[in-house]
């Protein structure tokens, strides 16, 4: 399990220097809606393809709201104990160690469960009592029931296109969240993001974004995952660091997307057409 946490608000009363703002370019009213959800203690689900800005949005919102952020990357081996915590044995005996969800509940943090659909149903159900009016977290192993601290908010991300037939969230889980739809940004917005995140110039960023849009059109021809804004940024970074355009596109854009010779050939043709 990958865990990362933004700085936790110090308990000794000394204000820590505020971390730099995670830059986020909004595409609609998602910032306002999220702020209202936070104020009204509503859980939020971010729906959209991988690499389109969901994580960056949560990082930005945690900064904006002045809340710590606890991020958990979900996977199918993740158990409820990985979220809640477990007893550990050390030289002094047995002691309880909070999992990331419990920590976030106690501290009033934003808890972001990335790709929640990857987690098993019996893991996901521990979220239910936190997402209704009770806002409680029962810890069966310690016998405690925690009331979520006021700033606590649950945020999950979900890629509806991915493994759609194999995995989906149960309606009883979905209906506990306000859902915000994310998608790849319109052309000029994506150009701006690629420039900001990579240091590439406008012409390069624009060409990469229009290449990305053409590659996204290949989904009908068997491309399982379309190129994300993240991939375009990685490619732009290589170009900005002096790597040739075709080498950068091959290594950072095309190779990560497919091993299929015909598809790779078609994608290379599109690179050639874009960067004549
Ligand atoms: P996701 O969580 O949807 O998989 P990320 O939030 O990690 O995707 O986005 C990948 C990268 O794309 C980010 O690290 C950021 O550099 C960039 N990005 C995408 N959308 C935006 C946006 N709207 N504003 C700022 N950066 C963005």
């Amino acid at each position: 399990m990958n865990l990362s946490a933004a700085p936790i608000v110090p308990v000794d009363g000394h204000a820590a220097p505020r971390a730099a703002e995670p830059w986020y370019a909004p595409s609609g009213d998602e910032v306002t809606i999220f702020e209202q959800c936070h104020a009204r203690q509503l859980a939020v689900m971010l729906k959209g393809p991988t690499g389109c800005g969901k994580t960056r949005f949560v990082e930005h919102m945690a900064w904006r709201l002045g809340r710590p952020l606890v991020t958990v990357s979900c996977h199918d081996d993740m158990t409820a104990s990985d979220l809640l915590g477990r007893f550990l044995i050390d030289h002094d005996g047995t002691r309880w160690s909070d999992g990331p969800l419990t920590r976030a509940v106690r501290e009033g943090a934003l808890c972001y469960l990335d790709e929640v659909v990857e987690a098993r149903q019996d893991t996901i159900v521990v979220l239910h009592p936190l997402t209704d009016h009770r806002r409680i977290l029962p810890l069966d192993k310690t016998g405690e029931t925690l009331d979520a601290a006021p700033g606590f908010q649950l945020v999950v991300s979900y890629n509806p296109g991915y493994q759609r037939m194999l995995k989906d969230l149960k309606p009883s889980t979905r209906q506990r969240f306000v859902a915000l739809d994310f998608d790849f940004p319109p052309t000029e917005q994506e150009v701006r993001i690629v420039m900001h995140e990579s240091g590439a110039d406008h012409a390069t960023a624009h060409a990469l974004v229009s290449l990305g849009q053409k590659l996204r059109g290949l989904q009908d021809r068997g491309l399982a995952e379309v190129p994300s804004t993240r991939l375009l940024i990685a490619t732009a970074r290589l170009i900005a660091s002096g790597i040739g355009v075709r080498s950068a596109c091959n290594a950072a854009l095309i190779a990560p997307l497919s091993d299929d010779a015909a598809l790779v050939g078609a994608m290379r043709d599109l690179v050639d057409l874009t960067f004549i």
Side-chain angles (χ1 to χ4, degrees):
M1 178 168 49
N2 298 327
L3 299 182
S4 67
I8 298 296
V9 175
V11 287
D12 60 4
H14 295 290
R18 202 165 182 216
E21 175 183 352
W23 183 78
Y24 175 73
S27 50
D29 53 3
E30 67 273 28
V31 170
T32 313
I33 295 179
F34 193 99
E35 280 176 338
Q36 291 303 324
C37 290
H38 186 78
R40 281 155 188 74
Q41 302 190 322
L42 295 169
V44 174
M45 173 190 295
L46 310 179
K47 289 168 65 176
T50 185
C52 74
K54 301 184 294 298
T55 302
R56 176 63 64 89
F57 173 66
V58 180
E59 290 166 352
H60 175 79
M61 292 312 300
W63 177 89
R64 218 181 155 92
L65 295 163
R67 303 311 311 164
L69 174 64
V70 176
T71 299
V72 181
S73 297
C74 298
H75 55 81
D76 53 8
D77 280 342
M78 195 172 78
T79 63
S81 297
D82 289 329
L83 287 178
L84 299 178
R86 50 174 52 90
F87 283 104
L88 300 177
I89 300 169
D90 61 17
H91 47 270
D92 297 325
T94 310
R95 66 179 174 84
W96 174 257
S97 170
D98 279 346
L101 179 65
T102 308
R103 192 154 51 93
V105 164
R106 287 192 208 275
E107 288 164 352
L110 260 59
C111 186
Y112 177 46
L113 303 182
D114 195 8
E115 289 298 345
V116 71
V117 75
E118 293 294 322
R120 296 195 317 244
Q121 286 300 334
D122 57 331
T123 306
I124 290 177
V125 291
V126 306
L127 307 175
H128 285 192
L130 281 170
T131 52
D132 54 35
H133 64 282
R134 293 172 290 170
R135 282 174 56 89
I136 54 167
L137 184 64
L139 295 177
D140 292 345
K141 287 186 179 163
T142 64
E144 283 173 284
T145 296
L146 304 180
D147 290 315
F152 171 79
Q153 188 178 15
L154 191 63
V155 186
V156 302
S157 77
Y158 167 56
N159 178 353
Y162 182 61
Q163 294 190 331
R164 189 179 210 139
M165 305 312 287
L166 298 176
K167 292 180 178 175
D168 209 345
L169 283 179
K170 278 189 167 177
S172 59
T173 302
R174 297 173 71 106
Q175 294 194 17
R176 292 168 178 276
F177 293 87
V178 171
L180 294 177
D181 276 316
F182 280 69
D183 207 343
F184 300 119
T187 307
E188 272 315 315
Q189 172 92 321
E190 195 164 29
V191 170
R192 199 170 138 236
I193 294 168
V194 171
M195 286 173 69
H196 182 275
E197 299 290 297
S198 69
D201 58 34
H202 185 272
T204 305
H206 196 278
L208 280 173
V209 167
S210 68
L211 173 62
Q213 290 169 345
K214 288 178 203 143
L215 293 173
R216 285 169 195 159
L218 291 179
Q219 196 162 30
D220 300 338
R221 291 181 52 189
L223 197 60
E225 280 275 304
V226 296
S228 61
T229 308
R230 181 190 291 123
L231 274 195
L232 299 181
I233 292 168
T235 312
R237 280 188 184 152
L238 286 186
I239 295 171
S241 72
I243 305 284
V245 169
R246 280 178 181 71
S247 299
C249 288
N250 285 338
L253 193 51
I254 295 177
L257 287 175
S258 180
D259 302 319
D260 180 284
L263 269 176
V264 167
M267 290 195 276
R268 287 191 175 169
D269 289 346
L270 288 175
V271 172
D272 290 339
L273 280 173
T274 308
F275 297 96
I276 299 169

